[in-house]
Amino acid sequence: MKTILVKTSTSQYPVYVGSQLLSKLGSLFQDLSLGGKVLIVTQKKIAKHFLKPVQQSLKQKGYAVFVHEIPDGETAKSSKELFGLYRVLLKHGFERRDTILALGGGVVGDLSGFAAATYLRGVRFVNIGTTFLAQVDSSVGGKTGINLPEGKNLVGAFYPPKFVVSDVALFQTLPDREFRSSLAEVVKYGVIRSGELFRFLEDEADKILHRDERALEHLVLESVKIKAQVVASDEFEARGERMILNFGHTFGHGFEQATGYKKLLHGEAVAIGIVCASRLAVALKMFSEVEEKRVVALLQKFDLPVSLSGLSLKMASVLQAMQRDKKKSAGKLRWVLPTHIGDVLVRDDVPLPLIRKVIREAGGK
Ligand SMILES: NC(=O)c1ccc[n+]([C@@H]2O[C@H](COP(=O)([O-])OP(=O)(O)OC[C@H]3O[C@@H](n4cnc5c(N)ncnc54)[C@H](O)[C@@H]3O)[C@@H](O)[C@H]2O)c1
Ligand SMILES: [Zn+2]
C-alpha cells in the first residue's frame, strides 16, 4: 500500500493506493480514531461485491455499522436522496464525530460527501472510490455536491475527506466501456503535467487494458499525485491553477450536453475534447502536429472515440452548450491548450471561427 498526502488549507488527508485494502479499513479508521458510528452509503450493485469485507473489517474493530443504499445513476445526486440520507443519520443518532463512508463511484461520493459537509454543519467523511473515475478524479480534491433539475453540480461544497482508499482490485468488476472511458482522464493528466505518465500509457497500453493491477496502481498513483498538486495550489478554484484539470472538458462538456448525456460516456466526450483541444493548439501554432498525432494514437489504442462521426451533432448546439460551461471568466471561454505533452497554457483569446473549424473537422455538422 502506498500513501499520498493531499494538502488542504487547514490540514491534509491521506489517499491509500494499493490492492486488497478493504480488509484493512477497520485499522485505518482506528489509526485516525474516528467516532464510534459509521454509515456506509453505497448502491446495490456495489454492495453485492464489496459490502461484506468493509462491514466485517469495521465491526471487528468495534464500530457500529449502518448501511444506506441509494439508487443507481446521476439522478441519485438529488435533494430527495440528500434529505433521505439526513433522515437516516438522524434516526441512528449520528453526531459530529461519527463518519459517513462512501463506497461507490462519483455519484455516491458526491452525494455522501455533501451530506457529510452539511449534516450538523459537518460530520466525518471517508471515501472508498470503487470506479476508475472515482479513484483518479472525484475522490481527490474535496468537491462534493448534488444536481438541480436545471443543471449538474449546481449545489455543493468543498469538503475534504478524512482519508481515501483506492483499491485497484475493485476495477475487475467494472464494465469494459466504463473502464476504458476513464482512461481519457489519465491521458489528460499525462498531457497537462507528465510526459512520463503519457509514455507509460503508450508503453503499457496492453497491460492496462488487461487490467494488470501493478500497471493500474501506477496510473492511480500518478493521477492522484498530479491532481493533489494542482488542487493544493488552488483548493477553492479561485486562482486559475485548478483550471488546467479542465483540459479537453470545455469541448467535452459541449459534446455531452449536445447529445443529451445519452450517447457518450463522460470520458468518451473528454477523449474527443482532448483531440479538439490538441488540434486547436496546433492551429494556434502552440503544439506540434507530431505530438498531436501521439495524443490521438494513444486514445485510439484505448479504443476511445476521437471524432464525432455517427453522432450527427449540430455545430450550433455544441457552441451553445459550451457557452453554458461554468468555467468561463467574465463571459469569455477559457481554453486549456497543450504546448508540449506534459505542459499546458490557459488562453481566453481563441477566435470563434477557429473553434468552429476544429469542431467541423472532428465531424460536427
Ligand atoms: N467531485 C468531483 O471532483 C468529481 C469529479 C469528476 C466527476 N464527478 C462526478 O462523478 C460522477 C460520475 O462518477 P462515476 O463515473 O464513478 O459514475 P457512477 O458513480 O455513476 O458509477 C458508474 C456505475 O458503476 C457502478 N459501479 C461502481 N463501482 C463498481 C465496481 N467496482 N464494479 C462494478 N460496478 C461498479 C455504479 O453502481 C454505477 O452504476 C458524476 O456525477 C460526476 O459529476 C465528481
Ligand atoms: Zn472529467
Side-chain angles (χ1 to χ4, degrees):
M1 181 175 87
K2 303 213 170 68
T3 306
I4 297 165
L5 289 177
V6 185
K7 289 198 174 61
T8 71
S9 52
T10 47
S11 67
Q12 58 184 17
Y13 58 91
V15 179
Y16 302 112
V17 182
S19 178
Q20 313 296 339
L21 301 182
L22 297 187
S23 58
K24 300 197 171 86
L25 195 67
S27 315
L28 296 172
F29 261 72
Q30 270 192 325
D31 288 349
L32 284 168
S33 58
L34 298 165
K37 288 181 190 170
V38 182
L39 178 69
I40 304 173
V41 181
T42 191
Q43 289 164 328
K44 205 172 248 42
K45 247 195 277 180
I46 302 169
K48 188 177 84 186
H49 297 299
F50 313 120
L51 184 59
K52 267 221 181 86
V54 171
Q55 271 176 317
Q56 262 169 8
S57 176
L58 290 168
K59 282 183 181 163
Q60 265 168 13
K61 297 290 177 185
Y63 290 94
V65 183
F66 305 89
V67 180
H68 178 64
E69 277 182 14
I70 62 163
D72 212 53
E74 192 62 34
T75 48
K77 278 170 56 175
S78 65
S79 55
K80 177 169 168 264
E81 289 304 324
L82 179 69
F83 278 72
L85 193 41
Y86 291 150
R87 285 191 200 99
V88 172
L89 292 162
L90 269 175
K91 186 172 90 188
H92 297 305
F94 269 61
E95 297 177 3
R96 279 208 184 132
R97 57 195 299 274
D98 296 320
T99 306
I100 298 181
L101 169 62
L103 176 67
V107 165
V108 170
D110 278 9
L111 173 75
S112 35
F114 188 59
T118 47
Y119 176 76
L120 302 180
R121 299 196 179 81
V123 296
R124 288 165 173 188
F125 178 51
V126 170
N127 199 345
I128 307 181
T130 62
T131 61
F132 199 4
L133 181 110
Q135 293 192 18
V136 297
D137 192 356
S138 60
S139 65
V140 177
K143 280 191 187 177
T144 68
I146 60 166
N147 303 326
L148 293 182
E150 288 80 0
K152 278 189 61 164
N153 300 324
L154 289 176
V155 176
F158 289 98
Y159 193 69
K162 289 294 167 203
F163 65 90
V164 174
V165 174
S166 291
D167 184 335
V168 297
L170 309 190
F171 299 159
Q172 301 299 345
T173 50
L174 281 177
D176 190 53
R177 190 175 166 203
E178 185 86 31
F179 174 79
R180 278 185 292 105
S181 115
S182 305
L183 283 165
E185 301 282 358
V186 186
V187 173
K188 172 190 88 176
Y189 289 120
V191 177
I192 64 172
R193 270 290 167 92
S194 171
E196 261 174 56
L197 172 59
F198 193 92
R199 258 193 308 282
F200 182 86
L201 289 165
E202 289 178 320
D203 294 344
E204 305 294 342
D206 287 340
K207 273 193 190 162
I208 293 165
L209 286 170
H210 285 100
R211 305 192 196 184
D212 173 276
E213 286 186 0
R214 288 185 68 156
L216 296 178
E217 199 176 309
H218 184 75
L219 295 188
V220 172
L221 269 173
E222 293 309 303
S223 301
V224 170
K225 274 187 206 161
I226 294 170
K227 182 151 185 193
Q229 268 176 14
V230 173
V231 164
S233 63
D234 185 17
E235 188 182 354
F236 304 112
E237 215 165 46
R239 292 156 26 102
E241 281 89 341
R242 204 164 166 154
M243 173 81 205
I244 70 167
L245 298 172
N246 216 34
F247 173 59
H249 280 63
T250 305
F251 282 114
H253 286 148
F255 304 147
E256 265 184 306
Q257 279 189 37
T259 47
Y261 293 96
K262 289 204 175 78
K263 294 186 182 162
L264 294 166
L265 295 180
H266 173 71
E268 293 170 340
V270 168
I272 311 169
I274 288 176
V275 173
C276 290
S278 303
R279 292 201 177 132
L280 191 54
V282 172
L284 289 163
K285 304 205 177 345
M286 297 166 56
F287 192 47
S288 76
E289 231 172 320
V290 175
E291 285 188 296
E292 179 254 325
K293 292 215 159 61
R294 266 179 79 193
V295 173
V296 176
L298 181 57
L299 293 167
Q300 281 174 321
K301 247 188 196 175
F302 294 136
D303 214 3
L304 287 164
V306 294
S307 84
L308 297 166
S309 71
L311 294 169
S312 31
L313 262 193
K314 295 225 164 61
M315 178 70 69
S317 48
V318 177
L319 290 176
Q320 205 180 24
M322 286 195 317
Q323 285 302 327
R324 279 200 296 266
D325 201 276
K326 273 186 305 197
K327 295 179 178 77
K328 282 198 295 194
S329 155
K332 277 188 178 171
L333 275 175
R334 290 187 295 170
W335 298 94
V336 185
L337 300 170
T339 53
H340 292 290
I341 288 173
D343 213 352
V344 283
L345 276 181
V346 179
R347 288 183 57 165
D348 64 2
D349 60 343
V350 180
L352 186 63
L354 214 51
I355 294 161
R356 286 175 170 277
K357 184 168 174 271
V358 165
I359 297 174
R360 203 164 31 245
E361 281 171 7
K365 305 264 179 297

